Amino acid sequence: MKLTELSPQKGAKHRKRRLGRGISAGQGASGGFGMRGQKSRSGRPTRPGFEGGQMPLYKRIPKLKHFPIIHPKKFTIVNVDQLAKVPAGTEVTLESLMALGIVTQNDGALRILGRGEMQSALTVHAHSFSGGARIKIEASGGTCVELRMDSTES
Protein backbone atom coordinates (compact mmCIF):
# COMPACT_ATOMS: atom_id res chain seq x y z
CA MET A 1 0.00 0.00 0.00
CA LYS A 2 1.27 3.45 -0.89
CA LEU A 3 0.39 6.90 0.39
CA THR A 4 -1.05 7.86 -2.99
CA GLU A 5 -3.47 4.92 -2.87
CA LEU A 6 -5.13 6.11 0.38
CA SER A 7 -8.58 7.70 0.12
CA PRO A 8 -11.42 8.32 2.55
CA GLN A 9 -14.23 5.77 2.83
CA LYS A 10 -17.27 6.13 0.61
CA GLY A 11 -19.70 8.63 2.21
CA ALA A 12 -17.12 10.07 4.63
CA LYS A 13 -16.63 13.27 2.58
CA HIS A 14 -19.55 15.57 1.86
CA ARG A 15 -19.54 17.65 -1.27
CA LYS A 16 -19.47 21.45 -0.81
CA ARG A 17 -22.79 23.32 -0.97
CA ARG A 18 -23.06 25.37 -4.17
CA LEU A 19 -24.93 28.50 -3.11
CA GLY A 20 -26.95 30.68 -5.40
CA ARG A 21 -27.13 28.21 -8.33
CA GLY A 22 -30.89 28.18 -8.91
CA ILE A 23 -34.00 27.11 -7.06
CA SER A 24 -33.54 23.38 -7.67
CA ALA A 25 -30.10 23.36 -6.04
CA GLY A 26 -31.70 23.86 -2.61
CA GLN A 27 -29.81 27.10 -1.79
CA GLY A 28 -30.81 29.34 -4.68
CA ALA A 29 -31.25 33.12 -4.89
CA SER A 30 -30.20 34.46 -1.47
CA GLY A 31 -28.37 31.26 -0.50
CA GLY A 32 -29.70 31.13 3.06
CA PHE A 33 -28.41 34.60 3.93
CA GLY A 34 -31.76 36.40 3.89
CA MET A 35 -32.86 39.31 1.72
CA ARG A 36 -30.67 42.33 2.53
CA GLY A 37 -28.15 43.63 4.97
CA GLN A 38 -24.47 43.46 5.77
CA LYS A 39 -24.56 39.73 6.51
CA SER A 40 -26.03 38.87 3.13
CA ARG A 41 -23.34 40.55 1.01
CA SER A 42 -20.31 38.98 -0.59
CA GLY A 43 -17.13 39.19 1.43
CA ARG A 44 -19.60 39.14 4.27
CA PRO A 45 -17.87 38.33 7.58
CA THR A 46 -16.81 41.45 9.46
CA ARG A 47 -13.40 41.53 11.11
CA PRO A 48 -13.05 40.33 14.71
CA GLY A 49 -13.93 43.05 17.21
CA PHE A 50 -16.12 45.02 14.76
CA GLU A 51 -19.19 46.42 16.55
CA GLY A 52 -21.17 47.85 13.65
CA GLY A 53 -19.35 51.17 13.57
CA GLN A 54 -19.53 51.74 17.33
CA MET A 55 -16.12 52.33 18.90
CA PRO A 56 -15.00 48.78 19.69
CA LEU A 57 -14.17 47.63 23.20
CA TYR A 58 -10.47 47.15 22.47
CA LYS A 59 -10.25 50.84 21.49
CA ARG A 60 -12.38 52.10 24.39
CA ILE A 61 -10.35 50.71 27.27
CA PRO A 62 -7.21 52.52 28.52
CA LYS A 63 -3.93 50.89 27.60
CA LEU A 64 -1.23 52.96 29.33
CA LYS A 65 -1.85 52.32 33.01
CA HIS A 66 0.61 51.21 35.67
CA PHE A 67 3.89 52.42 34.21
CA PRO A 68 6.86 50.55 35.68
CA ILE A 69 9.32 52.43 37.89
CA ILE A 70 12.37 52.86 35.68
CA HIS A 71 15.04 53.24 38.38
CA PRO A 72 13.53 51.71 41.55
CA LYS A 73 15.36 52.21 44.86
CA LYS A 74 16.35 48.85 46.30
CA PHE A 75 16.87 48.54 50.06
CA THR A 76 18.21 45.93 52.45
CA ILE A 77 15.49 46.02 55.10
CA VAL A 78 16.12 45.37 58.81
CA ASN A 79 13.56 45.83 61.60
CA VAL A 80 14.22 47.15 65.12
CA ASP A 81 13.47 43.74 66.69
CA GLN A 82 16.34 42.26 64.66
CA LEU A 83 18.67 44.99 66.00
CA ALA A 84 17.74 43.88 69.56
CA LYS A 85 19.91 40.76 68.97
CA VAL A 86 23.04 42.94 68.53
CA PRO A 87 25.17 43.43 71.71
CA ALA A 88 24.78 46.84 73.40
CA GLY A 89 27.19 49.66 72.57
CA THR A 90 28.19 48.38 69.11
CA GLU A 91 28.14 50.29 65.85
CA VAL A 92 25.64 48.79 63.44
CA THR A 93 26.39 48.92 59.70
CA LEU A 94 25.35 46.75 56.78
CA GLU A 95 28.72 44.94 56.93
CA SER A 96 28.42 44.25 60.68
CA LEU A 97 24.86 42.90 60.22
CA MET A 98 26.12 40.58 57.49
CA ALA A 99 28.95 39.40 59.76
CA LEU A 100 26.45 38.65 62.57
CA GLY A 101 24.18 36.77 60.15
CA ILE A 102 21.16 39.03 60.64
CA VAL A 103 21.34 40.01 56.96
CA THR A 104 22.37 37.30 54.49
CA GLN A 105 22.94 39.40 51.36
CA ASN A 106 23.33 43.01 50.30
CA ASP A 107 20.14 44.00 48.46
CA GLY A 108 21.07 47.69 48.29
CA ALA A 109 21.10 50.59 50.74
CA LEU A 110 20.30 49.76 54.40
CA ARG A 111 16.88 50.85 55.65
CA ILE A 112 15.75 50.41 59.26
CA LEU A 113 12.02 49.86 59.90
CA GLY A 114 10.21 50.13 63.23
CA ARG A 115 8.69 46.68 63.91
CA GLY A 116 9.40 45.40 67.42
CA GLU A 117 11.10 46.79 70.52
CA MET A 118 14.71 47.20 71.68
CA GLN A 119 16.40 48.09 75.00
CA SER A 120 20.11 48.22 74.08
CA ALA A 121 21.80 51.48 73.05
CA LEU A 122 23.26 51.20 69.55
CA THR A 123 24.86 53.55 67.05
CA VAL A 124 23.10 52.68 63.79
CA HIS A 125 24.62 53.74 60.46
CA ALA A 126 21.98 53.38 57.73
CA HIS A 127 20.91 55.08 54.52
CA SER A 128 17.30 55.49 55.63
CA PHE A 129 15.19 55.21 58.81
CA SER A 130 11.44 55.04 59.18
CA GLY A 131 9.93 57.50 61.66
CA GLY A 132 9.03 54.80 64.19
CA ALA A 133 12.47 53.18 63.97
CA ARG A 134 14.24 56.49 64.63
CA ILE A 135 12.06 57.15 67.73
CA LYS A 136 12.64 53.64 69.15
CA ILE A 137 16.42 53.69 68.61
CA GLU A 138 16.79 57.13 70.22
CA ALA A 139 14.41 56.21 73.09
CA SER A 140 16.66 53.27 73.99
CA GLY A 141 19.67 55.60 74.24
CA GLY A 142 21.09 54.95 70.77
CA THR A 143 21.88 57.27 67.89
CA CYS A 144 20.86 57.23 64.22
CA VAL A 145 23.52 58.19 61.67
CA GLU A 146 22.07 58.69 58.21
CA LEU A 147 24.46 57.83 55.37
CA ARG A 148 24.41 59.51 51.97
CA MET A 149 22.70 57.61 49.17
CA ASP A 150 25.10 57.06 46.24
CA SER A 151 23.73 56.70 42.73
CA THR A 152 25.63 53.40 42.37
CA GLU A 153 23.92 51.76 45.35
CA SER A 154 20.30 52.45 44.38
Side-chain angles (χ1 to χ4, degrees), residues 8-48:
Q9 281 188 326
K10 189 82 172 154
K13 282 183 82 174
H14 297 278
R15 65 181 183 82
K16 189 179 165 209
R17 269 192 327 186
R18 298 180 70 226
L19 300 177
R21 295 298 184 271
I23 201 163
S24 62
Q27 290 291 330
S30 58
F33 293 118
M35 296 272 288
R36 287 179 293 276
Q38 186 177 25
K39 292 181 181 173
S40 69
R41 310 294 187 208
S42 64
R44 159 185 90 73
T46 56
R47 68 179 187 280

Side-chain angles (χ1 to χ4, degrees), residues 40-90:
S40 69
R41 310 294 187 208
S42 64
R44 159 185 90 73
T46 56
R47 68 179 187 280
F50 182 70
E51 296 183 20
Q54 173 178 300
M55 187 63 70
L57 181 67
Y58 71 89
K59 283 191 172 184
R60 277 180 279 165
I61 58 175
K63 294 164 189 67
L64 300 173
K65 285 213 171 176
H66 313 295
F67 284 98
I69 299 169
I70 296 170
H71 298 295
K73 290 181 181 172
K74 295 186 177 108
F75 288 103
T76 303
I77 294 173
V78 176
N79 275 289
V80 170
D81 60 354
Q82 294 171 293
L83 293 178
K85 300 170 190 170
V86 178
T90 58

Side-chain angles (χ1 to χ4, degrees), residues 61-122:
I61 58 175
K63 294 164 189 67
L64 300 173
K65 285 213 171 176
H66 313 295
F67 284 98
I69 299 169
I70 296 170
H71 298 295
K73 290 181 181 172
K74 295 186 177 108
F75 288 103
T76 303
I77 294 173
V78 176
N79 275 289
V80 170
D81 60 354
Q82 294 171 293
L83 293 178
K85 300 170 190 170
V86 178
T90 58
E91 286 202 5
V92 177
T93 61
L94 181 58
E95 290 76 27
S96 68
L97 291 173
M98 289 177 80
L100 289 167
I102 293 173
V103 175
T104 54
Q105 65 185 24
N106 182 355
D107 291 331
L110 181 62
R111 179 164 168 82
I112 309 296
L113 300 181
R115 184 187 71 202
E117 297 296 325
M118 65 182 287
Q119 273 67 39
S120 57
L122 300 170

